[in-house]
Amino acid sequence: MVKSPVKPNLEGSAAKTKALKENILTPRFYTTDFETAAQLDLSAQEMELQAMLAEMRADYNRHHFVRDEAFDQSWEQITGEARQAFIDYLERSCVSEFSGFLLFKELSRKLKNRSPVLAEMFNLMARDEARHAGFLNKAMGDFGSTMDLAYLTKNRVYTFFPIEWVIYTVYLSEKIGYWRYIIIYRHLEKHPENQFYPLLGYFESWCQDENRHGDIFKALLRSQPKLWKTWQSRLWSRFFLLTVFATHTLTVHERTGFYRVLGLDPTEFDAEVIRKTNETAARAFPSVLDTEHPQFFSRLRRCCDLNVQMADIDSSSQPKWVKALRKLPLQLGIVGHLLRIYLIKPIDAEALREIVR
């Protein structure tokens, strides 16, 4: 017997939205300097952008995000920690995809009469992100947790990022998303017995959207010399790599139940995703992190341990000011470990590209 999913309603979704855990791992909604974006000179990467625009227009995944009969069943057999971890995975992924949709859609609207090529590119990427968010939201409905995305649009706080930061961070989020999806997909190809929900079978084509988006942002980055030719760009590249990697590590280890149900070791999965993303980023960034340094992953894991301790403090019944005092040394400890990672001698990606040539 098929169990009907709980239908979304503004009241229930609002309560769900308010219950989202607000910390450094919570997906943000972003806005940017649209005037600066409109003035970007894309001539250095014009051919690459035109080729990618043609690929986006082709819309290879237009028939991909359609739910088939495999979804038409009850999912009550997924219980306990695994169920909650998967719901959390769906929830954060949905919010993250929807955040991308809103940013890309607004960029498309603002640039329509100023930078037509860029406006169309952002519009097509918004199309993809909307499909992803909608598909994830329907999956959440199978578990009785459908979110009201219209409520999120009006009630989430928007964080301002300069367009240069947007280019760095979106490039990395798309590429790390690609590696996350493709590694899970390839693992499940070898271990189909662990594919507990049909959404996971969609990851191969899904990750190609992520890869295309990342390639677009790579072209945007390489079209702006100040984002890869200056000493400041080397510092920013490593900063954003470290930020994305630290967030990924903490998030993966908050959802260990989900990865274990897939038959994946969370720590090994996290390390593989980070290594692959760092290697990919070396094709775009002037400088990347040395993930093979003996302190790199050990310090990230120490950050995880401290994050778990903070979560335990948050779940206690102590007054907020006591919690804040108890968490302060732990927060400083995380910052200290991240700073030590940042100061590890980086890899000169530009020099490596010259060697390849």
Side-chain angles (χ1 to χ4, degrees):
M1 182 177 180
V2 177
K3 180 179 177 180
S4 301
V6 176
K7 294 184 179 180
N9 62 77
L10 186 58
E11 233 178 271
S13 297
K16 183 67 174 176
T17 301
K18 291 175 184 175
L20 286 173
K21 186 179 179 182
E22 294 291 345
N23 58 27
I24 61 172
L25 305 181
T26 308
R28 309 293 184 201
F29 283 14
Y30 295 98
T31 185
T32 190
D33 182 351
F34 301 106
E35 180 62 28
T36 302
Q39 294 176 12
L40 292 176
D41 180 4
L42 308 177
S43 57
Q45 294 287 313
E46 185 176 358
M47 289 181 62
E48 288 81 357
L49 287 168
Q50 287 292 347
M52 282 181 277
L53 183 55
E55 193 171 333
M56 292 291 289
R57 287 169 178 159
D59 195 7
Y60 297 116
N61 278 344
R62 62 187 176 278
H63 301 306
H64 181 66
F65 296 99
V66 178
R67 285 162 60 96
D68 59 23
E69 63 279 358
F71 289 91
D72 296 335
Q73 56 181 291
S74 170
W75 302 103
E76 294 304 311
Q77 73 276 15
I78 304 172
T79 60
E81 181 189 357
R83 183 182 182 91
Q84 188 53 50
F86 187 50
I87 291 173
D88 179 60
Y89 177 85
L90 293 173
E91 180 182 90
R92 291 193 183 184
S93 297
C94 180
V95 173
S96 180
E97 297 281 357
F98 190 63
S99 169
F101 160 73
L102 291 175
L103 176 62
F104 295 161
K105 196 67 178 177
E106 188 65 5
L107 276 163
S108 174
R109 189 177 71 84
K110 296 283 189 179
L111 303 182
K112 186 174 182 181
N113 298 319
R114 303 283 303 279
S115 182
V117 170
L118 207 50
E120 184 178 2
M121 196 81 79
F122 281 122
N123 185 56
L124 295 174
M125 286 192 288
R127 171 202 68 196
D128 295 344
E129 299 291 296
R131 284 177 184 159
H132 299 170
F135 206 66
L136 287 161
N137 203 19
K138 288 178 181 177
M140 288 179 64
D142 290 340
F143 294 84
S145 299
T146 306
M147 300 182 72
D148 191 317
L149 298 178
Y151 177 88
L152 279 177
T153 304
K154 296 176 182 177
N155 291 277
R156 292 288 287 171
V157 175
Y158 286 73
T159 302
F160 177 84
F161 262 25
I163 190 62
E164 295 83 4
W165 292 12
V166 168
I167 292 173
Y168 281 126
T169 55
V170 174
Y171 168 76
L172 284 175
S173 68
E174 298 289 352
K175 287 300 184 180
I176 202 169
Y178 166 78
W179 283 113
R180 197 162 48 233
Y181 286 130
I182 198 63
I183 289 170
I184 291 174
Y185 182 82
R186 288 170 179 168
H187 167 77
L188 291 176
E189 273 190 317
K190 297 176 182 177
H191 303 280
E193 69 278 7
N194 292 325
Q195 186 168 309
F196 63 88
Y197 183 68
L199 172 77
L200 305 170
Y202 286 70
F203 278 5
E204 184 181 31
S205 294
W206 192 321
C207 75
Q208 298 307 327
D209 282 346
E210 308 286 329
N211 204 33
R212 273 189 286 270
H213 296 183
D215 287 343
I216 289 167
F217 275 87
K218 174 190 172 184
L220 290 177
L221 190 152
R222 300 302 290 189
S223 73
Q224 308 301 308
K226 68 178 180 178
L227 296 184
W228 62 275
K229 264 192 171 181
T230 64
W231 65 267
Q232 295 98 324
S233 67
R234 292 177 176 273
L235 299 178
W236 281 120
S237 295
R238 288 156 51 207
F239 171 78
F240 285 114
L241 279 164
L242 182 57
T243 301
V244 169
F245 291 165
T247 302
H248 187 265
T249 295
L250 297 182
T251 304
V252 166
H253 287 86
E254 276 196 349
R255 301 173 182 156
T256 54
F258 168 60
Y259 294 101
R260 290 197 179 105
V261 170
L262 294 177
L264 286 165
D265 179 277
T267 300
E268 292 177 3
F269 171 77
D270 174 54
E272 185 177 5
V273 170
I274 287 175
R275 285 193 179 101
K276 292 294 188 183
T277 305
N278 198 58
E279 291 170 9
T280 301
R283 302 171 193 168
F285 286 4
S287 180
V288 295
L289 300 172
D290 181 4
T291 58
E292 300 308 315
H293 192 282
Q295 291 189 30
F296 184 86
F297 284 109
S298 65
R299 289 193 178 277
L300 281 181
R301 284 192 285 273
R302 289 179 201 173
C303 290
C304 281
D305 294 338
L306 294 172
N307 189 55
V308 169
Q309 292 178 47
M310 289 198 296
D312 290 340
I313 292 171
D314 278 331
S315 62
S316 72
S317 58
Q318 294 177 316
K320 287 185 178 180
W321 67 271
V322 174
K323 292 182 182 180
L325 283 176
R326 290 183 63 197
K327 287 195 298 182
L328 183 59
L330 302 177
Q331 292 166 338
L332 292 174
I334 290 176
V335 171
H337 285 303
L338 295 180
L339 181 59
R340 292 290 293 274
I341 294 173
Y342 186 79
L343 293 176
I344 293 172
K345 184 179 178 181
I347 295 172
D348 187 341
E350 291 300 319
L352 290 177
R353 264 191 290 278
E354 290 299 325
I355 292 172
V356 171
R357 286 176 190 152

